[in-house]
Amino acid sequence: MEPLYKPEGVEERWQRTWEDEGLYAADLDPGRPSYVIAVPPPNVTGALHMGHALNGTIQDCLIRWKRMQGLNALWQPGYDHAGIATQVVVEKELAKDGLTRHDLGREAFVARVWEWLETYGKVIIGQYRRLGASLDYRRERFTMDEGYVRAVMRFFVHLYRRGLVYRDNRMINWCPRCATAISDLEVHHHELDDTLTYARYPLADGSGHVTIATVRPPTILADVAVAVHPQDERYRGLVGKEAVVPVVERRVPIIADERVEPEFGTGALKITPGHDPVDFEIGREHGLPEPMVIGLDGLMNGEVPGYAGLTQEEAERRVVAWLEEHGQLEKREPYRHSVGHCERCGSRIEPLISEQWFVEMKELAAPAIEAIHDGRVRFTPPVHGDVAVNWLESIRPWNVSRQLWWGHRIPAWYCDCGATLVSETPPDRCAECGDPELRQDEDVLDTWFSSALWPFATLGWPGDTPDLRAFYPGDVNSTAREIIFLWVNRMIMAGLELMGDVPFRDVIIHSTVLAPDGRRMSKSLGTGIDPLDVIDVHGTDATRYGLLKMSSTQDVRFSYGAVEEGRKLANKLWNASRLLLSAGGKEVEARPTSVEERWVLARLDAARAEVEEHFSSFRFSTAASALYHLTFDDFCDWYAEAIKPRLYEKDPDAVATSLAALERLLALLHPVMPHVTEEIWSHFPERAGRLIVAPWPGADSRFADAAGALERVQDAAAIFRRSGVRVALEGEELRIFDAVVRPDRAQVNGNGEAEIERLRKEVARAEAMLANERFLAGAPPEVVEGERAKLARYRRELAALVGDESHQK
RNA sequence: GGGCGGUUAGCUCAGCCGGGAGAGCGCCUGCCUUACAAGCAGGAGGUCGCUGGUUCGAUCCCAGCACCGCCCACCA
């Protein structure tokens, strides 16, 4: 064993060994309770980024811990077909050859996507291996696998039969570039500098005009009304009259509607049901027509002569020029507002009316809200549960159809007779008229429609499989904050609806890892840090430790310092092991004969309890810190230093005890740093099996008394050490090496005086508190007791330095 | 527009129930001690964003303010 621990080679070797020996596998085992986490399926086109690395480490840590605790731990891997994202990638490939998907046709294009995936996709799960992720890789699932497709079809048909999925012609978000509808969650709003145009609409009776304000003058061409607030005094006389829409010179009614905001603009709103969500609602309520002047390509259509094919900018110029020419342009002013964009490609979203499939969500949301409220699903940190519930409470219908080719094709068939048939498999003939000529719906489903089934479709649903019975419901879902609505909520809803139970008990929302400068990690900004690079340089164990150390309830900046700390920990552990193993002992048995040995065993047990507590409550950063200080401060700086002389003498009791202590330490560290601990463990004499499946240390209170015994000695020792005196423990006695501090240094540092000063202040503070009657009356007894104990300790420490002062008064 | 989070040492961040202000890195001092100098021993450094309130006592609870960030959103 070299003095410097080098992870390269070691880590890959253990990753291969563990997997080859089947130690990641979760096989059916009715005798053992299960522990299940399904990895959030990454996009097939994806590569491992820092968020995956952090999330993967968190999940692996839990899985390894539970596996050591003897549970049948299943960490389910797989991929998401990522409909729109994948289609865009392959379309770009085609574009290099000057082709579009339409040149290939649907069938050939989909074949091309599969081909592309075979060659370039599906790399990310392999990258999880470098993280040491103990996923059950044999169970890899894909949302486009045959079995999974069946699950998606079943879900759709199930919802259809329940009347919760339906086809409707209504306002949707259209992305002109992707040429598909997208859901509300896929629309991202950001601020934009725009122009607010004030236009006069003459009254049809010639009695004046009404002025409206708009940011989209081209939509004037599709106006069908002007609306004002019913309580708006300024316009009271106008309601019921008619106004004339500029350019098209159409006579439209002036109506009253509560949704109009009197404070905004002029308080009069032009109504364009075809191109604005609010106007759409108002229009439907007032029975207005719904003309559209903008096409699916984002260009002006042929509805208004002379405008066909114009871009919206061109149309805007023309409309504004018309207004100016006719003296109906009141003013134009700069205006900054929030505008919806396609999250995938960034194009400005075009709200328009289209026939799509929708899922009515309210009925599905209610049980999910209940499950979160009553704690069947708990969020960590809890605030995200409130956010999830808020969203569920105001849920709206979900547009699930996409005008794409890559994805699950909607299982609906249409007959010329007008019938719509929804079924899991293609129907032979029309159920209404018997016609065998049926057309399948051209569209595919939103990617998240299939993702919602992940926790059980991966286990064989809709079949009633042994896996499903053994591993559902799962235990934990660890996820990024931005997919709570898209994914987590929908899994909860789908699980309750189809399985009758929540898919997991705990949802962990991990922190977002920012670049070291606090900006978002992003490829385009060049601020990304590749976790695989960090692993290459610092090792997997160090990276895992660093990520856990960084993780928190809020966003954190990536810190190489935290990774460096992990590397130091691995190296420290390695060297401590060299010391302990060099004594050549064969026995691994706790046979403590001194207080420091009993003490370290007590410490290890206390640390085990702490780590369990931190893991259970998902405080990984705190767990990492606890393990660091256990290893450095307690195990190495105290115990190993104290026991060293007896190891040199090859004292058989000391050697056997040291290996037993090291074994416990390695086990505690394994979930965080699996490779270095397994490597050290493999150097143990006569040791069969692997640490990864070794039992997690049980509670051991045999030496609990020693914790206190040494603490007293240790307190005294700490005081001497602060003064520069070197000490070791012999039995219950504190042995002082260089009995005298080098006088020059003690004076320069003034340590002794400073320490005495500090203790005097502490004693005075504690005495004052204990003399305060209101404190004694108001504080809980254990706090008062705590203060008494502190006072006693401070007095004792002070006495050790200057003699007992209480007798000096 | 609505909601949420943050502000603690030079840097990155902990601080769970109100009672001692902490860690790692960096810096300073002293040590190449037969596991580790990628180490050891010690040290300096803080108005816990600001203002008020509750309390015997506030980094912690409450209110307001400032700044930073995130999420949601149909004021054209």
Side-chain angles (χ1 to χ4, degrees), chain A residues 114-136:
Chain A
W114 281 105
E115 219 171 276
W116 188 91
L117 290 180
E118 285 310 311
T119 319
Y120 303 104
K122 294 193 169 189
V123 298
I124 184 168
I125 291 294
Q127 295 176 319
Y128 269 89
R129 288 185 167 89
R130 286 291 285 122
L131 263 185
S134 55
L135 290 152
D136 188 351

Side-chain angles (χ1 to χ4, degrees), chain A residues 323-473:
Chain A
L323 290 169
E324 200 156 23
E325 208 173 293
H326 292 73
Q328 288 174 227
L329 181 66
E330 198 161 298
K331 61 177 172 179
R332 304 193 80 201
E333 55 189 31
Y335 179 58
R336 193 172 172 76
H337 67 143
S338 186
V339 179
H341 293 79
C342 173
E343 72 160 355
R344 189 56 50 191
C345 73
S347 305
R348 192 163 168 159
I349 287 305
E350 204 59 61
L352 47 80
I353 299 170
S354 168
E355 184 155 51
Q356 303 284 345
W357 287 93
F358 294 88
V359 179
E360 175 53 47
M361 301 299 288
K362 280 199 174 0
E363 199 173 322
L364 298 173
I369 293 167
E370 207 178 306
I372 298 172
H373 272 152
D374 67 23
R376 272 175 291 151
V377 178
R378 296 178 297 241
F379 280 73
T380 302
V383 65
H384 295 299
D386 302 338
V387 176
V389 166
N390 286 344
W391 184 80
L392 288 165
E393 281 172 345
S394 56
I395 202 159
R396 299 195 301 167
W398 175 17
N399 173 202
V400 291
S401 46
R402 298 288 176 276
Q403 289 65 55
L404 303 169
W405 288 352
W406 175 241
H408 302 100
R409 192 148 169 194
I410 292 175
W413 285 263
Y414 308 109
C415 177
D416 286 338
C417 78
T420 297
L421 289 83
V422 171
S423 100
E424 287 179 42
T425 50
D428 296 334
R429 59 181 66 79
C430 177
E432 302 278 323
C433 69
D435 189 342
E437 290 288 308
L438 299 169
R439 287 171 292 105
Q440 184 172 6
D441 196 295
E442 293 292 323
D443 294 348
V444 299
L445 289 159
D446 183 357
T447 286
W448 298 102
F449 188 88
S450 49
S451 315
L453 311 176
W454 189 247
F456 42 96
T458 49
L459 297 171
W461 188 87
D464 178 20
T465 64
D467 274 346
L468 200 56
R469 286 198 294 270
F471 297 119
Y472 192 92

Side-chain angles (χ1 to χ4, degrees), chain A residues 730-743:
Chain A
E730 269 182 8
E732 304 275 354
E733 297 292 309
L734 186 68
R735 178 172 168 202
I736 300 172
F737 292 145
D738 327 330
V740 183
V741 200
R742 280 174 38 193

Side-chain angles (χ1 to χ4, degrees), chain A residues 145-275:
Chain A
D145 284 347
E146 206 183 319
Y148 206 108
V149 171
R150 210 167 60 241
V152 175
M153 297 301 115
R154 172 68 63 89
F155 185 30
F156 188 90
V157 172
H158 172 91
L159 292 174
Y160 185 77
R161 293 195 178 138
R162 292 254 279 118
L164 296 178
V165 68
Y166 55 89
R167 210 160 179 237
D168 196 8
N169 196 41
R170 68 161 74 154
M171 177 71 40
I172 49 101
N173 309 295
W174 182 263
C175 173
R177 199 223 59 88
C178 300
T180 180
I182 58 177
S183 72
D184 295 342
L185 285 175
E186 293 166 294
V187 177
H188 285 192
H189 293 80
H190 31 262
E191 297 248 295
L192 219 64
D193 283 313
D194 219 325
T195 305
L196 192 56
T197 301
Y198 289 76
R200 290 181 181 158
Y201 286 30
L203 298 176
D205 60 11
S207 64
H209 66 264
V210 57
T211 304
I212 58 87
T214 180
V215 287
R216 302 189 63 195
T219 63
I220 286 176
L221 306 181
D223 279 357
V224 295
V226 170
V228 298
H229 193 273
Q231 258 80 61
D232 195 329
E233 296 297 333
R234 296 170 293 181
Y235 298 116
R236 180 145 290 180
L238 262 48
V239 177
K241 290 189 171 183
E242 285 187 321
V244 180
V245 176
V247 187
V248 289
E249 313 222 278
R250 179 163 50 228
R251 290 165 66 121
V252 300
I254 298 173
I255 60 176
D257 194 285
E258 305 257 330
R259 277 162 285 216
V260 180
E261 184 58 61
E263 307 303 318
F264 186 89
T266 62
L269 172 64
K270 72 185 207 54
I271 300 297
T272 320
H275 295 296

